């Protein structure tokens, strides 16, 4: 269980990591596609063009503590196991891999025929869920060591992002045509709830709020949409946020669901108040487009 407290925008800034188009490690430059912060705030994981790089956030160093370079194409997603014993990652080379932070290489791998765009770890930490370029969503059972379920909500239309509720009650997927799909999760069953057009252009990210009452989608149409979720999992548009001048690549909720942080190709990150849609603060300073963002404000 996590205990959340109300925070100010200033307090959240101390827990926020943004990314320009690259991470500089010693003399080399790596394109960053996804960022994640470990639960204990000790490590930052970057899914890069040539692998996964893990940085110790308590050290003043641009050199990665761990490098996992076992991929042949862009790594598009990554994340930490709760106790930070291992990480999971996916790539456009079609692979899903589990890396033990106490060992080199990878300890487990699964091969998908199509490029994988996104990955989520189920809260039970026994399954990973991925979305691929052919429109498939696959559930891999880490205990049984196999793919146990395949969903195809949009054949040949790439799944761009996934989000799973913290209590494992709801799964959401979005695709390159602006479509949104939801499923109810109950035990081992995955039951479809609804599908609808959320944007008229690429949806680049979807995020369920920690309290599971709201959802955010961000798009190539330069907007962010906030959605209400009722007790039955039904979704209704609440408001549209305008403020970015180019594609909005990523967004993340604060742990109390009161704030949303977004980033865009316009080199800007914005902190929004979700209840009103007001801009709390604009974060300047990046010289290139900001394509991914990570936040860990759990106390």
């Amino acid at each position: 269980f996590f205990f959340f407290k109300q925070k100010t925008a200033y307090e959240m800034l101390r827990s926020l990591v943004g990314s320009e188009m690259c991470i500089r490690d010693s003399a080399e430059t790596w394109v960053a596609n996804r960022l994640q912060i470990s639960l204990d705030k000790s490590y930052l994981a970057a899914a890069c063009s040539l692998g996964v790089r893990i940085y110790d956030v308590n050290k003043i160093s641009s050199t990665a503590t761990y490098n996992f370079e076992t991929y042949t194409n862009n790594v598009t997603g990554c994340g930490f196991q709760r106790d930070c014993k291992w990480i999971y990652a996916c790539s456009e080379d079609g692979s899903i891999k589990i890396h033990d932070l106490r060992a080199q290489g990878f300890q487990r791998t699964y091969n998908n025929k199509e490029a994988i765009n996104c990955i989520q770890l189920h809260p039970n930490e026994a399954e990973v869920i991925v979305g691929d370029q052919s429109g498939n969503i696959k559930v891999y059972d880490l205990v049984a060591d196999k793919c146990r379920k395949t969903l195809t909500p949009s054949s040949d239309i790439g799944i761009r992002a996934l989000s799973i509720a913290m209590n494992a009650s709801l799964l959401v997927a979005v695709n390159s045509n602006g479509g949104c799909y939801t499923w109810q999760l109950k035990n081992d069953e995955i039951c479809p709830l609804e599908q609808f057009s959320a944007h008229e252009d690429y949806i680049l990210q979807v995020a369920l709020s920690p309290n599971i009452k709201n959802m955010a989608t961000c798009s190539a149409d330069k907007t962010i949409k906030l959605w209400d979720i009722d007790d039955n999992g039904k979704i209704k548009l609440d408001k549209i946020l305008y403020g970015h001048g180019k594609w909005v690549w990523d967004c993340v909720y604060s742990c109390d669901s009161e704030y949303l942080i977004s980033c865009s190709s316009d080199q800007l990150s914005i902190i929004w108040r979700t209840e009103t849609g007001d801009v709390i603060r604009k974060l300047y300073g990046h010289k290139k487009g900001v394509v991914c963002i990570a936040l860990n404000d759990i106390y």
Side-chain angles (χ1 to χ4, degrees):
F1 295 92
F2 304 114
F3 296 91
F4 304 149
K5 73 171 186 177
Q6 198 78 14
K7 284 171 290 301
T8 65
Y10 173 76
E11 287 176 309
M12 283 194 301
L13 286 176
R14 299 170 61 190
S15 304
L16 184 65
V17 175
S19 170
E20 293 183 292
M21 293 296 288
C22 65
I23 288 178
R24 297 193 181 277
D25 188 347
S26 300
E28 298 179 281
T29 299
W30 310 86
V31 175
N33 301 310
R34 185 66 53 202
L35 296 173
Q36 288 292 332
I37 304 171
S38 62
L39 184 60
D40 64 3
K41 304 182 184 180
S42 295
Y43 294 105
L44 168 69
C48 300
S49 52
L50 298 176
V52 183
R53 310 181 75 78
I54 311 294
Y55 296 85
D56 188 332
V57 299
N58 297 309
K59 293 182 179 179
I60 305 175
S61 174
S62 62
T63 301
T65 302
Y66 304 99
N67 298 322
F68 299 104
E69 298 175 359
T70 59
Y71 302 86
T72 59
N73 210 327
N74 283 326
V75 180
T76 51
C78 64
F80 290 94
Q81 180 262 352
R82 183 181 295 111
D83 297 325
C84 215
K85 293 180 180 178
W86 47 269
I87 66 166
Y88 55 93
C90 65
S91 169
E92 289 180 349
D93 65 13
S95 67
I96 305 109
K97 293 180 180 177
I98 305 298
H99 300 278
D100 192 323
L101 294 184
R102 299 161 294 184
Q104 295 182 347
F106 56 88
Q107 283 59 55
R108 190 170 300 181
T109 184
Y110 304 96
N111 294 312
N112 190 58
K113 293 182 179 179
E114 302 296 334
I116 301 175
N117 296 325
C118 50
I119 187 169
Q120 288 285 317
L121 179 65
H122 192 287
N124 64 17
E125 297 197 329
E127 296 175 329
V128 291
I129 306 171
V130 301
D132 70 25
Q133 189 60 27
S134 290
N136 301 305
I137 299 168
K138 296 184 178 181
V139 181
Y140 286 87
D141 188 322
L142 301 180
V143 178
D145 201 23
K146 65 178 182 179
C147 177
R148 77 165 183 87
K149 186 75 173 180
T150 299
L151 307 169
T152 309
S154 53
S155 180
D156 297 324
I157 302 174
I159 300 296
R160 301 304 311 173
L162 298 166
S163 186
I164 186 169
M166 292 184 67
N167 66 356
S169 63
L170 185 67
L171 174 67
V172 181
V174 293
N175 69 19
S176 298
N177 276 12
C180 182
Y181 304 84
T182 64
W183 294 265
Q184 182 184 47
L185 305 182
K186 189 174 182 181
N187 299 322
D188 290 336
E189 296 181 3
I190 305 177
C191 305
L193 286 176
E194 59 181 327
Q195 61 182 66
F196 57 92
S197 178
H199 292 262
E200 295 182 358
D201 209 334
Y202 285 95
I203 301 180
L204 301 170
Q205 186 59 275
V206 60
L208 289 168
S209 63
N211 64 10
I212 323 172
K213 294 182 178 180
N214 306 101
M215 181 182 79
T217 54
C218 55
S219 170
D221 66 12
K222 308 175 188 178
T223 70
I224 303 161
K225 292 186 179 181
L226 301 184
W227 308 79
D228 289 331
I229 305 174
D230 67 19
D231 293 339
N232 296 315
K234 296 295 182 180
I235 295 175
K236 180 179 68 174
L237 181 63
D238 176 27
K239 57 179 70 72
I240 304 176
L241 306 181
Y242 300 93
H244 285 294
K246 294 184 178 181
W247 288 25
V248 187
W249 284 93
D250 203 358
C251 62
V252 60
Y253 278 96
S254 62
C255 65
D256 56 12
S257 304
E258 296 294 325
Y259 300 94
L260 184 80
I261 302 95
S262 61
C263 64
S264 167
S265 295
D266 63 8
Q267 305 174 19
L268 187 64
S269 294
I270 301 177
I271 301 177
W272 312 81
R273 189 182 300 278
T274 55
E275 184 178 1
T276 62
D278 293 336
V279 173
I280 302 301
R281 189 166 181 174
K282 293 185 177 182
L283 309 178
Y284 299 93
H286 289 283
K287 297 180 181 179
K288 295 183 180 180
V290 188
V291 298
C292 50
I293 195 165
L295 174 69
N296 181 347
D297 58 338
I298 297 174
Y299 284 82

